[in-house]
Amino acid sequence: MFDDRSPIYRQIADRIKTEVLTEALKEDERVMSTNEYAAYYRINPATVAKAFQQLVDEGVLYKKRGIGMFVSPQAREVLRDRHRERFFTDVVDPMIDEALAIGVPLADVVRRIEGRDAR
């Protein structure tokens, strides 16, 4: 379920973000409580609480006092925007730098991408 590559709270937060992005969790939908999540995955409730707090801080979840945590309106769009920006920063920009370094005209890169899109 959880791996050793990153802290469990971060893995929980990432899993919930993925569920929001894939619409397994929809906006204003209630998510499992801290205790429900902890019992289901057999982990410390404090770990879950830390993940939930991170998601609240990022605007992915919001709390209704006495009721629970819910997916924020626009959470999916906010997450998609962040992923798009990270895609350009982590993938496209280095690709452009490499193309320029080896003398590939950007027009050739664009043509190649458009050719893939036509398939």
Side-chain angles (χ1 to χ4, degrees):
M1 158 82 210
F2 298 108
D3 62 46
D4 293 333
R5 289 180 280 157
S6 64
I8 292 174
Y9 81 89
R10 191 171 298 146
Q11 293 178 59
I12 293 166
D14 289 345
R15 176 170 294 143
I16 291 172
K17 289 176 189 178
T18 298
E19 290 175 356
V20 171
L21 281 168
T22 61
E23 295 188 282
L25 284 172
K26 305 211 184 304
E27 66 180 50
D28 292 316
E29 184 174 342
R30 183 183 174 276
V31 298
M32 283 192 278
S33 72
T34 301
N35 290 331
E36 289 169 334
Y37 209 97
Y40 185 82
Y41 290 107
R42 298 178 187 200
I43 57 177
N44 189 319
T47 302
V48 180
K50 187 172 183 177
F52 283 6
Q53 186 58 54
Q54 176 184 327
L55 293 168
V56 168
D57 292 345
E58 293 178 13
V60 175
L61 297 180
Y62 68 94
K63 183 176 184 173
K64 286 186 181 180
R65 190 174 174 146
I67 299 175
M69 301 296 263
F70 293 80
V71 177
S72 297
Q74 307 300 318
R76 184 169 185 259
E77 202 54 43
V78 167
L79 290 171
R80 288 182 75 184
D81 289 345
R82 286 185 198 148
H83 278 263
R84 281 187 200 109
E85 186 56 40
R86 196 167 43 240
F87 170 76
F88 284 105
T89 301
D90 295 349
V91 177
V92 176
D93 292 346
M95 177 189 65
I96 291 168
D97 293 342
E98 172 119 2
L100 293 173
I102 62 173
V104 176
L106 292 182
D108 289 355
V109 174
V110 171
R111 267 195 298 285
R112 180 70 170 244
I113 293 169
E114 289 175 342
R116 284 290 294 261
D117 194 35
R119 291 184 199 170

